Amino acid sequence: MRKKRATNENFRLNILIGFFLSVSVVFVLRLFFIQVVGHEKYKALAQDQYWNLQDIPARRGNIMSRDGFVLATTQTHYLMYLEPQKIENKDKVIRYLSDALVKINAEREGEADILKSGFEKKIANLLDTTLQWVILEHNLTPYQKEDIESLNLVGVGFEEEPVRYYPEGTLASHVLGFVASNERGDKQGYEGIEGKLDADLKGKPGRIVEEKDAMGAPILVGGYTKVPPINGRDIVLTLDRSVQYIIEKHIKNGVEMYDAVSGSVIVMDPIPKHMNPVQS
């Protein structure tokens, strides 16, 4: 009887020990996956919790013809940002900036009041934050930037924001390609040179990095770093602008004249090098 009781107690003890060992193994495996297998993932999550990141776009490189004409370039527009901690008279900033943005964005009569109310709320919300740097408006022209700068508002600044522009219109458009936003909202080259050499043309964006606490508010004595963007490389093509213009003009006339679907032209220099006149 006593031996049977001891056997039952040992059995229960073994079950208890086995349970704790199993739980310990689960914890060890979980810690292994967190600290070793998922190290980079959880490191990134931790950084997102205490760092606030904002990108500054890089200037995209030019595409030029062999005879020196710019076929694709970047116009300098601007993004307007606010530094809420430097702004003392918030009512003045809200009033002046909302009026300036209404002037820029109002296209038809009757829109001004609606736009003004919307801009006032937007600016007020941005100023009611503990962040040191917030974006207010994108794609401002140099003239619009100058008008706002003339208001002399402390805590309002600008950063260059490149916009793609093709000075020759549709000339060689099938060769150049185009730039548009991808699924993440970033500017990206598609088709032609813009797409094929996108990595060389686009450069590397800069960043505003500031440290924040667990509630998302900036730490006043924490880290704050501004990394400037690296602009993209210029690309020079073998294409000659004048020749390309003549070709496209004649192809268009030929297609229209013969009701063709499309046309092609091959351009070459038929004179061998040894037959070229030698200049002394």
Side-chain angles (χ1 to χ4, degrees):
M1 189 75 177
R2 187 178 299 173
K3 184 176 180 181
K4 185 177 181 181
R5 184 182 301 169
T7 301
N8 290 337
E9 289 177 354
N10 289 337
F11 178 72
R12 287 195 295 269
L13 182 61
N14 288 335
I15 290 176
L16 190 61
I17 292 173
F19 172 76
F20 281 112
L21 285 175
S22 300
V23 171
S24 299
V25 169
V26 171
F27 274 114
V28 169
L29 289 174
R30 182 59 179 162
L31 288 173
F32 174 79
F33 277 100
I34 291 175
Q35 296 182 350
V36 180
V37 178
H39 171 72
E40 293 300 326
K41 173 186 175 182
Y42 288 101
K43 181 181 178 181
L45 288 173
Q47 289 179 341
D48 287 342
Q49 289 179 350
Y50 62 83
W51 289 103
N52 180 55
L53 306 177
Q54 298 195 56
D55 286 341
I56 303 173
R59 182 181 178 87
R60 194 173 179 87
N62 294 334
I63 302 176
M64 296 180 289
S65 65
R66 62 180 293 182
D67 46 342
F69 289 92
V70 176
L71 302 177
T73 187
T74 301
Q75 288 185 326
T76 302
H77 283 206
Y78 296 88
L79 68 82
M80 177 167 54
Y81 65 85
L82 304 175
E83 295 177 286
Q85 310 311 315
K86 295 183 179 180
I87 297 175
E88 296 181 358
N89 192 340
K90 295 185 177 182
D91 291 336
K92 176 183 176 182
V93 170
I94 292 172
R95 185 172 67 255
Y96 280 36
L97 287 184
S98 61
D99 287 340
L101 292 174
V102 167
K103 181 181 176 182
I104 292 170
N105 291 276
E107 297 180 355
R108 297 184 298 271
E109 293 184 7
E111 290 185 341
D113 291 339
I114 298 174
L115 286 172
K116 183 174 176 62
S117 176
F119 282 126
E120 286 176 345
K121 291 179 181 178
K122 179 180 179 180
I123 298 168
N125 289 335
L126 291 175
L127 293 180
D128 188 25
T129 178
T130 53
L131 293 174
Q132 297 184 35
W133 195 92
V134 290
I135 295 174
L136 172 58
E137 189 76 1
H138 288 275
N139 203 26
L140 297 176
T141 67
Y143 299 108
Q144 293 166 347
K145 169 180 173 284
E146 290 175 4
D147 287 342
I148 296 174
E149 282 182 326
S150 66
L151 301 174
N152 296 318
L153 299 174
V154 177
V156 178
F158 299 87
E159 288 284 353
E160 289 189 4
E161 186 174 49
V163 177
R164 206 59 170 164
Y165 173 63
Y166 300 91
E168 301 294 336
T170 60
L171 183 71
S173 58
H174 63 293
V175 175
L176 299 176
F178 62 96
V179 175
S181 298
N182 58 23
E183 63 276 5
R184 299 186 304 274
D186 300 326
K187 296 295 184 182
Q188 179 179 328
Y190 292 92
E191 308 296 337
I193 301 299
E194 296 278 25
K196 187 69 174 179
L197 300 179
D198 182 62
D200 295 299
L201 287 163
K202 70 181 180 180
K204 185 176 181 180
R207 278 188 171 185
I208 298 289
V209 185
E210 61 179 348
E211 198 171 358
K212 61 182 180 180
D213 60 24
M215 302 300 294
I219 301 173
L220 297 180
V221 293
Y224 177 85
T225 305
K226 182 177 179 180
V227 181
I230 299 174
N231 293 332
R233 297 171 58 190
D234 292 341
I235 304 296
V236 180
L237 307 180
T238 57
L239 179 149
D240 185 285
R241 170 181 171 271
S242 300
V243 173
Q244 184 71 23
Y245 173 78
I246 294 170
I247 290 171
E248 290 191 14
K249 181 180 179 181
H250 284 287
I251 284 182
K252 180 180 179 183
N253 292 337
V255 168
E256 291 175 351
M257 181 181 297
Y258 298 104
D259 196 24
V261 176
S262 63
S264 299
V265 172
I266 297 175
V267 179
M268 60 186 296
D269 183 359
I271 303 176
K273 290 184 178 179
H274 69 272
M275 293 182 63
N276 287 337
V278 178
Q279 296 181 356
S280 58

